[in-house]
Amino acid sequence: MSVTNRTRALESISTRVTPTYAAQDDGAAPIDYYGKDVFNAAAIRKYLSRGAAEKLLATIQDGAKLDPGIAGDVAHAMKDWAIARGATHFTHWFQPMTGGTAEKHDAFLDLNEAGEAIMTFSGNNLAKSEPDASSFPSGGLRCTFEARGYTAWDPTSPAFVKRNPSGATLCIPSIFCSYNGEILDNKIPLLRSIQTLKQAVARFMANFGATSEHIAVTLGAEQEYFLIDRQFYLQRPDLIQTGRTLFGAPPAKHQQLEDHYFGAIKPRVLNFMAEVEQELWRLGIPAKTRHNEVAPAQFELAPTFEELNLAVDHNMLTMEILKRVAEKNGLVCLLHEKPFAGVNGSGKHNNWSVTYGTRNLLDPGSDPRHNRVFLAFLTAIIRAVDMRGDLLRCSTVTVGNDHRLGANEAPPAIISMYLGERLTEILNQVEQGVDKEISSKTSPLRVGVVTTPSIASDDADRNRTSPFAFTGNKFEFRMCGSSQSCSLFNMFLNVAVAESLDYLSEQIETLDRDDEFDVKLEQILGKVLAQHKRIVFNGNNYSSGWVAEAERRGLPNLTTALDALKPLLDPANSKLMQDYGIFSSIELESRYEIFTEEYFRKIQIEGEVARDMALNLILPVALEEYGELIKTLTSAKAAGVSAGLSTLQRTVEEIGDKVDQLRYNADKLGAFSPVVHENCIEYVQTTKDLRKSVDELELLVDDRKWPLPKYREMLFIF
Ligand code: ADP
Ligand code: MG
């Protein structure tokens, strides 16, 4: 048998021993080490003077302006705390427009005037740093010769310690801007949008007699991912370079038996999950749910929801930790939206809500028909999603998500909202100015087993096909890609909702507070609902009928990424962003530049990797087989054998055919000039055509010689 790297990988996986589960801190319970590596309220109180601690906590918890006078004390305390945890370095941890995170470490170690080693970290070090900005995307905001960029401490997200086997680094969550103050990151717009939404909520709630309570925008980001053995990964240049498989024939069994979803978790995967959770818990990230997902080798991790800015940071860290711990366990975590063709891709379900004091504004309560705040808040969201759905769609653009949106497992590219029958009926009543009893649909479920405790059904079923679904007391935006930062979509959502709340507030503020108030309020809401209810769709979003229906309703269907990015250039959106002080028009346009540039570059990288692999890995193997078959055919003919000749002949012809197609498409890819708007679609199509010839060859060429790990191996063998 011929030995390929692929067979070596298989061999090494089959003999590997699952590492034994190493309990955290010698068996300590999660509650003992939860948040241990975070400079949280407990650490702040322990390491800072009482006055300074209260000031810092007021900023973190209540959004008070930070007293610059305490930066020195805070820095000192953070340093002592971090050093006690083994930290030798500190870094501003920020989120440039690459969509990832960035860090540049500095040692605490310095030399004093006498040349002796000391450990220093000043208030200045904490507050500000100056990384060279010239190598981060700016979309033309900044010329290369104006390289200066600043990172500045975001005190609302606590500092934390990131551990590595031989040390640790104090990480300070930070914003990132240019020398002239232009936004170069994903955090500043998010923070601005949170501020904006909170102001709008405060104004809105004042209409209902509520006085200033603590307001929080909340996010629970469910993270889907794939795991494969690292040995396989190392044999797949496409996975290494692009995060997805560019080739791979579909296996006979994939997910059609639906036997992976919620199945028993394999020990090796469970070990990995447990180790991830331990790391997350140490960092105060409340990982809560773990399970097998629909596709083979696909999984999900969901945390308990948190305040939005913190939840976004925590999701960035979660993605990093998933990847790192996977590697440690001989696995690779794939966060790409569509690593494998033909099976489900991965999303990031963005669960969003707003709390006012202890009240969740999206909680319908026991009598939603008469829950004025809930109805008005919901109406504002309906208006927001209808008016700014294009921005929400735009925020989900990634090269990977293109393969997911509209495929049969993910919401289509049309933004609509699911409310469920009961809420829809309530809103119809509001619109029509009637108030009739609505029967609750909750009922005891008849399970038919005496020993089972009695359970009640929920009020409304779920709709898994909706991109933006009301799920009881929050909205779940399901279009988001698994690899994305949560900042962009939440930023747009916050601003859109803020604008609609202000729109309602403006009208409600003119009403007299008399007996007529409720009726008049419903009239205002009714008008808005009449205008925007087209966005509500409770049916099957995957059906082809919906595409036609959505078109009839005038809802945009931005199927390609390039169309979906255009809303960034829309003057109406630009005005919204300027009115709310989020982006200048130049900053918004610069995002369009960055996203399209990145899109083209990634498309081209995929094409080039596919071409390299086709020519260097696949073609030689296919040609070798072709040559051998011809030799066999010739000697069979010479020997006067007749049986088998037609099979030999046909196989040679088929391989020859595919090889010609492969060469043709590879050459065609090679002849493209850089990918731009005009040739992008054709380039993508050629990459797909090339895949077709390679995948067909996979089914023809001797399995023992095929160099790439196959789908049936990567997705099933752990
Ligand atoms: P499912 O997969 O069934 O949708 P999960 O339990 O996996 O549900 O995830 C639901 C997510 O929604 C969790 O992260 C949860 O914390 C979050 N969530 C629950 N309530 C809120 C809320 N009020 N605001 C934001 N997120 C919420
Ligand atoms: Mg879930």
Side-chain angles (χ1 to χ4, degrees), residues 226 253-255 260 293-299 340 343 715-716:
F226 279 83
K253 176 184 187 287
H254 42 93
Q255 63 186 43
H260 193 255
E293 258 299 333
V294 172
Q298 192 188 24
F299 308 94
F340 300 97
V343 296
L715 289 171
F716 291 95

Side-chain angles (χ1 to χ4, degrees), residues 15-75:
T15 53
R16 88 189 302 280
V17 185
T18 298
T20 47
Y21 171 76
Q24 181 76 33
D25 288 353
D26 299 326
I31 201 168
D32 297 329
Y33 60 85
Y34 186 82
K36 218 174 172 178
D37 286 344
V38 186
F39 194 61
N40 54 18
I44 288 169
R45 291 210 172 89
K46 188 164 162 195
Y47 281 84
L48 269 176
S49 70
R50 191 150 161 213
E54 291 319 313
K55 279 184 186 165
L56 181 57
L57 288 170
T59 298
I60 296 171
Q61 289 159 2
D62 310 321
K65 199 168 163 50
L66 184 77
D67 174 357
I70 64 167
D73 290 347
V74 176

Side-chain angles (χ1 to χ4, degrees), residues 318-353:
T318 300
M319 291 195 284
E320 181 181 324
I321 287 166
L322 282 168
K323 285 197 226 157
R324 181 156 42 76
V325 174
E327 217 163 300
K328 206 175 140 202
N329 283 271
L331 297 161
V332 172
C333 175
L334 305 172
L335 293 171
H336 193 282
E337 284 79 13
K338 194 78 175 180
F340 300 97
V343 296
N344 274 18
S346 297
K348 176 132 54 197
H349 295 175
N350 193 88
N351 296 274
W352 177 98
S353 189

Side-chain angles (χ1 to χ4, degrees), residues 277-406:
E277 285 161 347
Q278 288 170 0
E279 288 219 17
L280 294 177
W281 290 334
R282 280 193 81 95
L283 285 167
I285 301 174
K288 176 85 175 163
T289 306
R290 61 189 189 197
H291 63 82
N292 286 2
E293 258 299 333
V294 172
Q298 192 188 24
F299 308 94
E300 181 186 300
L301 182 159
T304 300
F305 69 93
E306 298 178 283
E307 185 279 318
L308 175 56
N309 177 40
L310 186 62
V312 171
D313 285 358
H314 280 173
N315 179 254
M316 299 304 289
L317 275 171
T318 300
M319 291 195 284
E320 181 181 324
I321 287 166
L322 282 168
K323 285 197 226 157
R324 181 156 42 76
V325 174
E327 217 163 300
K328 206 175 140 202
N329 283 271
L331 297 161
V332 172
C333 175
L334 305 172
L335 293 171
H336 193 282
E337 284 79 13
K338 194 78 175 180
F340 300 97
V343 296
N344 274 18
S346 297
K348 176 132 54 197
H349 295 175
N350 193 88
N351 296 274
W352 177 98
S353 189
V354 175
T355 47
Y356 186 85
T358 54
R359 172 179 189 174
N360 177 354
L361 294 184
L362 280 175
D363 185 351
S366 55
D367 182 11
R369 177 65 189 91
H370 302 107
N371 187 341
R372 297 178 309 181
V373 170
F374 170 71
L375 289 178
F377 192 61
L378 187 62
T379 302
I381 297 175
I382 291 170
R383 180 181 181 274
V385 175
D386 186 36
M387 287 184 64
R388 309 294 174 180
D390 59 346
L391 283 176
L392 292 180
R393 166 69 184 99
C394 164
S395 68
T396 64
V397 169
T398 71
V399 169
N401 233 2
D402 267 10
H403 300 279
R404 206 183 136 250
L405 298 179

